[in-house]
Amino acid sequence: MIDPIVLAEEKGNKFIWLSIDQAEMEKGIITNQYLLIVKDKGVMLDPGGPLVFERVYTTMQKFIKPEDVEYIFLSHEDPDIISGLSIWLTYCPNAKILVSGLWDRFLPHVGVDIKMNVIRIPLQGMRINLNGDDLRIVPAHFLHSPGNFHLYDPITKVYFSGDLGAAVYPKGTWYIMVDDFDEHKKYMEGFHRAYMANKKAIELWIKQIQGLDIRIIAPQHGAIFEGENAKKFIDWIKSLDKVGIDYLEEVLSNNA
């Protein structure tokens, strides 16, 4: 087990990466789970499925009581994010799920009562109050999913980016903080070209984050960008010329 990391701590807020078990690396897609604490209340970010629940829940309790988790934030609808929700709601009885209004109707398939536990995020995003602080839910549609959202805490200046920023490591390679951005980007390029919808979706997201003071970008897969590397990531994603539909068109044309 690799210990959790407090990525940022400011004015009673903590943004925490919740460890990883090396055994998970052999069982499926490696996922990052995060906990944001505002004073003594918390929000879990993309908490994951049954494969990781025991590890994530045990680590979370080092920082917060389960009954003090007020929100579970879902960036999109993939099973590595939502499949453990019914377990989380059993152990965190006060938590409300924050999910796109496009995807809430699918949650009963993982055992969630959407009449009781769900706050629907509108297409334009929203702000939520957690223990007196406003957190911003930022639209990032089609990066890679419709109804895709990120979460930003203006106190710690950490930006949770879901699958944007994801990296796919070759076997035998893993690290949690980006050190050498030029080396790291080769693990990101294939994923972003295949999964992000198109250049327009990236441009719309860039407009949404203008004016945000982002110190750390924390994705659900891969490694975390801090300081100058966070800026380099934003510049890099803006520079990608062909992604999604445009990339697919080129691939299929070459096969014709």
Side-chain angles (χ1 to χ4, degrees), residues 66-86:
E67 59 267 27
D68 288 331
V69 175
E70 290 204 358
Y71 297 111
I72 296 173
F73 173 76
L74 308 178
S75 62
H76 58 293
E77 78 291 353
D78 283 354
D80 60 328
I81 293 170
I82 72 167
S83 59
L85 278 179
S86 61

Side-chain angles (χ1 to χ4, degrees), residues 89-236:
L89 291 175
T90 299
Y91 286 89
C92 299
N94 298 322
K96 296 292 185 183
I97 297 168
L98 291 157
V99 64
S100 168
L102 296 179
W103 296 117
D104 66 294
R105 72 195 72 179
F106 293 90
L107 296 185
H109 292 278
V110 292
V112 173
D113 183 351
I114 61 174
K115 295 178 182 178
M116 297 288 293
N117 302 304
V118 173
I119 297 172
R120 294 158 182 83
I121 306 170
L123 286 174
Q124 67 268 30
M126 62 189 292
R127 295 177 187 268
I128 59 168
N129 185 277
L130 181 61
N131 215 12
D133 283 0
D134 280 336
L135 308 177
R136 180 172 172 181
I137 298 178
V138 180
H141 299 300
F142 296 100
L143 297 176
H144 61 88
S145 168
N148 195 86
F149 293 95
H150 301 158
L151 187 142
Y152 173 70
D153 172 30
I155 303 300
T156 60
K157 298 179 172 53
V158 180
Y159 186 95
F160 172 66
S161 62
D163 276 4
L164 191 67
V168 180
Y169 298 124
K171 189 172 182 178
T173 298
W174 183 86
Y175 47 87
I176 192 55
M177 302 299 295
V178 174
D179 181 33
D180 184 338
F181 184 85
D182 288 335
E183 177 70 13
H184 183 71
K185 68 184 182 183
K186 69 184 182 183
Y187 302 136
M188 297 192 293
E189 185 164 352
F191 176 87
H192 285 77
R193 290 198 187 279
Y195 279 84
M196 303 300 128
N198 53 35
K199 183 77 171 180
K200 182 67 173 178
I202 293 173
E203 291 170 350
L204 287 173
W205 173 70
I206 293 295
K207 290 180 180 179
Q208 295 297 317
I209 65 167
Q210 285 179 352
L212 298 185
D213 184 4
I214 297 173
R215 189 172 69 85
I216 292 174
I217 296 175
Q220 195 229 351
H221 302 283
I224 295 161
F225 308 88
E226 184 173 17
E228 193 61 31
N229 283 325
K231 296 176 183 178
K232 287 181 179 180
F233 172 74
I234 294 171
D235 289 340
W236 175 79

Side-chain angles (χ1 to χ4, degrees), residues 11-51:
K11 298 179 181 178
N13 289 19
K14 292 182 181 180
F15 201 103
I16 304 153
W17 172 77
L18 291 173
S19 74
I20 200 166
D21 186 336
Q22 291 94 322
E24 295 169 17
M25 299 180 184
E26 303 299 325
K27 295 180 181 178
I29 300 171
I30 300 302
T31 55
N32 298 320
Q33 290 79 33
Y34 304 94
L35 169 66
L36 171 61
I37 297 175
V38 177
K39 293 136 183 107
D40 59 349
K41 299 296 182 181
V43 52
M44 287 290 302
L45 305 169
D46 286 0
L51 174 66

